[in-house]
Amino acid sequence: MPKKAIFLDRDGVVNKEVNYLFKKEDFEFIDGIFDACIYFQNLGYIIIIVTNQSGIARKYYSENDYQTVTKWMLRQFEDNGIEILNVFHCPHGPDSTCDCRKPKPGMFLTAKDKHNTDMEKSWLIGDNEIDVIAANEAGIDNTILVRSGHRIDESNSNARFILDSIQQAKQVITE
Ligand SMILES: [Zn+2]
């Protein structure tokens, strides 16, 4: 049976936005992230992260650096009782013609195929309009932008909800 999923952007949603973050020392979880994820799990959602990592194409850090910080991040989630089912990343730069870099929907569509997700019942939580565009393209209508990351142009957003941070998502994701 298809599963409902919470798709999270990483920088600005899971952790405080730092330009081209690649060291765990710079990785600071957003307040309430673990609590929110436990809540989503209890509602029966699987949790998937989809993140643009153009710092790899730009050679600011390596694929290996990225994998190291990802493993560390996943261990912190695990230690808090949370299973992140998968983390998809796009390593390409803005000039790439890849299908994965948001606002393209590639990472969402790959996740859908791999994990049999029900996009109609799934949610996207991002901090940038490109997250909303990519999710919409992939068939996800339930979108939230949070103010804990990039500055959002709220009057020009197609997000269904704009909230201060993921902590407040409990107020709009209720089933
Ligand atoms: Zn890509």
Side-chain angles (χ1 to χ4, degrees):
M1 209 174 92
K3 288 162 280 189
K4 55 184 184 176
I6 304 282
F7 289 93
L8 300 177
D9 175 46
R10 197 192 78 180
D11 301 308
V13 176
V14 170
N15 56 281
K16 293 190 180 162
E17 172 70 34
V18 173
N19 272 334
Y20 303 112
L21 180 150
F22 69 97
K23 288 184 286 195
K24 69 178 193 296
E25 291 74 21
D26 297 331
F27 195 106
E28 193 181 342
F29 284 98
I30 298 270
D31 285 342
I33 177 70
F34 298 130
D35 184 51
C37 287
I38 293 279
Y39 172 83
F40 301 145
Q41 280 186 172
N42 289 341
L43 284 179
Y45 287 94
I46 56 171
I47 304 171
I48 292 169
I49 295 175
V50 283
T51 177
N52 280 357
Q53 293 294 327
S54 70
I56 297 171
R58 298 175 209 262
K59 300 199 185 320
Y60 297 159
Y61 49 91
S62 69
E63 176 74 29
N64 194 50
D65 293 330
Y66 165 77
Q67 295 295 348
T68 300
V69 82
T70 300
K71 272 190 205 123
W72 175 85
M73 174 188 75
L74 290 174
R75 198 172 321 125
Q76 311 313 304
F77 275 110
E78 258 176 55
D79 289 350
N80 284 276
I82 297 151
E83 183 192 6
I84 303 296
L85 193 62
N86 213 330
V87 185
F88 295 92
H89 74 290
C90 165
H92 308 113
D95 299 333
S96 164
T97 55
C98 73
D99 295 322
C100 40
R101 183 174 162 80
K102 295 177 283 186
K104 299 263 188 68
M107 291 190 282
F108 291 87
L109 295 174
T110 304
K112 180 188 176 189
D113 284 351
K114 191 161 180 186
H115 300 296
N116 190 24
T117 55
D118 179 343
M119 299 310 236
E120 276 182 33
K121 289 186 179 158
S122 294
W123 287 79
L124 167 276
I125 306 177
D127 74 331
N128 193 318
E129 194 64 21
I130 62 170
D131 298 318
V132 176
I133 296 167
N136 286 164
E137 279 287 308
I140 298 170
D141 291 333
N142 298 318
T143 56
I144 297 171
L145 281 183
V146 289
R147 301 186 182 98
S148 54
H150 281 105
R151 194 181 169 80
I152 303 164
D153 182 357
E154 300 196 10
S155 55
N156 286 309
S157 175
N158 285 313
R160 269 189 68 190
F161 300 96
I162 298 178
L163 307 173
D164 283 344
S165 87
I166 194 165
Q167 271 186 309
Q168 295 180 340
K170 287 162 129 181
Q171 294 163 19
V172 297
I173 304 176
T174 55
E175 58 178 4

